[in-house]
């Protein structure tokens, strides 16, 4: 078996490169990782969260191997792995979770207490998330494999739907989680802030949950057109005009039942000021546009440190929010990483039984590993695509 390996490496603001990296070992520091597996990566996706690092908006160090959205084939198992075997095709939750701590036992796998010495929660290839090697690679090691991995019941069937199933590692559960925590249900009216891949996944999720009307707002027409392609209403946020007035035109009411923030800390002001960064603008819009007693799901990323922020407060993650309005309207806010394992099996079933076409909704674009730097550049330019890397040509074949 080949022990060569290559991966996408962050070099500095605006620069990634595909380089030779170490082949993974079943090891955690100086000890054997008997509960882990090594995967041959079948698909690995470029995420908007990766883009924050590549833009230089975090404290990510040069040399970080990127990638937390992974689907792969098991090629080697540690001694203590009982329920997986070489040849199994699996989805990897982007959350790394031990399965043993208080958080994991309560289903809060996004804030595992044992996999990151700095804070609760860990992820592959991400700044301050435990130092785990990322999966935009040819091979990667996954710990606590029996607990973490979702095995597809039929590998051939899974490969037929791999463009959809690859989205189970992050953005489909994340978008779904945003809607669930916003209280979306049958007959709901929903506003989705942001038409990037997570926003589009949230819009599909809202429909899957039975929403009556899903409105998606963004500043890029190509992305809004993608949202309209599967039945969403849209708002072009580069246009002037009060948002409540514009929502009233669609709904006959000025507020929605549920609001999902899929933008996060790099938000920009709407209307004539849309080129100006305003990190709290989506959160403030959420409180203005959500009905009294409504819920606000916030899967969009907010950081504790943003060295590229426009003001000193935002550099420390401190935002100017009109929180009193949310209090007065009895809003519920739900933040944080999606606990992927809570959702990935039922969403897999929805895909396998043809209830949702998530790859079409987010416009999956397959690329090779060597095309990853261009994928990052195109994504940063606002392309209405979800770039999925096929490092071994498995999907192409």
């Amino acid at each position: 078996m080949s022990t060569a390996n290559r991966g996408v490496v962050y070099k500095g603001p605006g620069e990634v490169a595909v380089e030779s990296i170490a082949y993974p070992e079943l090891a955690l520091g100086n000890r054997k990782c008997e509960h882990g597996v090594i995967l041959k990566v079948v698909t690995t996706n470029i995420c908007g969260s990766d883009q924050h690092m590549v833009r230089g908006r975090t404290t990510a160090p040069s040399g970080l191997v990127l990638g937390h959205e992974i689907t792969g084939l098991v090629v080697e198992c540690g001694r203590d792995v009982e329920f997986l075997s070489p040849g199994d095709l699996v989805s990897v939750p982007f959350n790394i979770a031990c399965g043993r701590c208080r958080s994991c036992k309560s289903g809060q796998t996004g804030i595992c207490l044992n996999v990151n010495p700095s804070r609760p929660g860990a992820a592959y290839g991400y700044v301050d998330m435990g130092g785990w090697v990322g999966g935009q690679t040819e091979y990667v090691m996954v710990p606590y494999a029996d607990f973490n991995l979702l095995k597809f019941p039929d590998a051939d069937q899974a490969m037929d739907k791999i463009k959809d199933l690859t989205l189970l590692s992050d953005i489909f559960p994340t978008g779904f989680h945003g809607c669930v925590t916003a209280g979306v249900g049958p007959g709901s009216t929903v506003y989705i802030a942001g038409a990037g891949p997570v926003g589009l996944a949230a819009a599909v999720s809202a429909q899957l949950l039975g929403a009556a009307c899903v409105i998606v707002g963004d500043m890029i027409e190509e992305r809004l057109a993608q949202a309209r392609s599967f039945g969403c209403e849209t708002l072009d946020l580069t246009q002037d005009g009060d948002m409540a007035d514009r929502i009233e035109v669609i709904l006959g009411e000025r507020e929605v039942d549920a609001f999902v923030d899929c933008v996060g800390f790099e938000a920009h002001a709407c209307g004539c000021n849309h080129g100006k960064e305003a990190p709290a603008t989506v959160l403030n819009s959420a409180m203005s546009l959500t009905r009294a007693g409504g819920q606000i799901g916030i899967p969009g990323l907010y950081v504790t440190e943003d060295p590229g922020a426009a003001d000193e407060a935002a550099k420390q993650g401190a935002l100017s929010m009109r929180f009193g309005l949310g209090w007065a309207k009895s809003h519920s806010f739900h933040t944080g990483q999606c606990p992927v394992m809570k959702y990935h099996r039922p969403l897999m079933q929805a895909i396998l039984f043809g209830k949702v076409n998530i790859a079409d909704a987010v416009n999956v674009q397959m690329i090779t590993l060597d095309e990853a730097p261009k994928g990052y550049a195109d994504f940063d330019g606002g392309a209405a695509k979800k770039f999925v890397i096929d490092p071994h040509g498995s999907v192409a074949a």
Side-chain angles (χ1 to χ4, degrees):
M1 182 179 70
S2 172
T3 56
N5 195 18
R6 295 190 305 151
V8 180
V9 179
Y10 171 65
K11 306 299 288 183
E15 184 182 0
V16 298
V18 179
E19 297 181 349
S20 294
I21 61 172
Y23 187 85
E25 298 180 1
L26 290 174
L28 292 176
N30 296 322
R31 61 188 175 90
K32 187 79 169 172
C33 182
E34 297 290 5
H35 50 69
V37 299
I38 293 174
L39 300 182
K40 178 181 179 180
V41 177
V42 174
T43 54
T44 177
N45 318 328
I46 296 175
C47 181
S49 298
D50 298 323
Q51 203 71 57
H52 293 306
M53 290 187 291
V54 174
R55 290 187 187 121
R57 296 300 296 267
T58 71
T59 55
S62 177
L64 179 68
V65 180
L66 298 169
H68 56 270
E69 301 187 8
I70 310 163
T71 305
L73 195 71
V74 177
V75 294
E76 183 179 349
C77 296
R79 179 196 61 210
D80 296 336
V81 176
E82 296 186 62
F83 306 114
L84 295 164
S85 303
D88 288 342
L89 185 61
V90 296
S91 179
V92 184
F94 79 89
N95 325 108
I96 301 169
C98 72
R100 297 156 168 80
C101 70
R102 177 179 179 176
S103 293
C104 287
K105 287 181 177 180
S106 65
Q108 296 176 301
T109 53
I111 47 172
C112 176
L113 303 175
N114 289 331
V115 288
N116 183 352
S118 300
R119 64 181 69 170
Y124 303 90
Y126 208 85
V127 60
D128 296 332
M129 295 303 287
W132 299 86
V133 175
Q136 287 172 14
T137 56
E138 293 174 326
Y139 297 90
V140 69
M141 196 277 283
V142 173
Y144 307 104
D146 279 331
F147 181 67
N148 281 290
L149 297 179
L150 174 66
K151 177 184 172 181
F152 298 133
D154 183 289
D156 290 336
Q157 179 195 32
M159 286 304 296
D160 287 341
K161 290 184 175 286
I162 195 65
K163 292 180 182 179
D164 298 279
L165 295 171
T166 189
L167 305 176
L168 291 174
S169 58
D170 183 354
I171 68 161
F172 193 10
T174 292
F176 195 85
H177 178 63
C179 290
V180 169
T181 57
V184 178
S188 297
T189 58
V190 187
Y191 183 86
I192 309 290
V198 171
L200 294 171
V204 170
S205 298
Q207 293 175 337
L208 191 61
L209 288 164
C213 182
V214 181
I215 305 170
V216 180
D218 202 280
M219 299 181 181
I220 299 174
E221 171 53 32
E222 185 183 5
R223 290 182 169 182
L224 292 173
Q226 188 64 30
R228 289 192 294 271
S229 74
F230 56 93
C232 298
E233 301 285 345
T234 58
L235 293 184
D236 181 350
L237 301 181
T238 65
Q239 297 179 4
D240 289 333
D242 182 77
M243 288 183 68
D245 289 343
R246 298 172 70 187
I247 285 174
E248 187 174 20
V249 171
I250 297 170
L251 298 179
E253 299 179 346
R254 298 175 63 78
E255 295 175 321
V256 295
D257 298 320
F259 190 109
V260 186
D261 173 5
C262 298
V263 178
F265 75 103
E266 285 193 70
H268 285 69
C270 301
C272 61
N273 291 318
H274 69 268
K276 180 181 178 181
E277 192 163 295
T281 191
V282 175
L283 297 172
N284 286 324
S285 292
M287 291 181 279
S288 295
L289 299 175
T290 304
R291 66 170 175 82
Q295 295 172 218
I296 299 166
I298 310 173
L301 175 66
Y302 288 87
V303 293
T304 55
E305 293 182 79
D306 176 10
D311 62 68
E312 290 303 314
K315 288 180 180 179
Q316 304 302 317
L319 307 182
S320 180
M321 289 174 59
R322 194 182 173 196
F323 193 70
L325 177 60
W327 190 94
K329 295 174 77 172
S330 294
H331 285 155
S332 299
F333 300 81
H334 197 104
T335 66
Q337 290 186 40
C338 166
V340 170
M341 276 188 274
K342 183 175 181 178
Y343 306 106
H344 65 178
R345 183 174 295 278
L347 293 179
M348 175 189 74
Q349 294 289 82
I351 290 168
L352 293 178
F353 284 94
K355 299 301 182 184
V356 63
N357 296 306
I358 184 67
D360 289 342
V362 304
N363 197 19
V364 163
Q365 175 73 50
M366 302 299 304
I367 60 175
T368 67
L369 187 61
D370 289 316
E371 291 171 326
K374 184 177 186 303
Y376 269 95
D378 290 349
F379 189 31
D380 192 44
K385 298 175 180 177
K386 174 67 172 177
F387 290 100
V388 175
I389 300 168
D390 178 9
H392 295 278
S394 308
V395 181

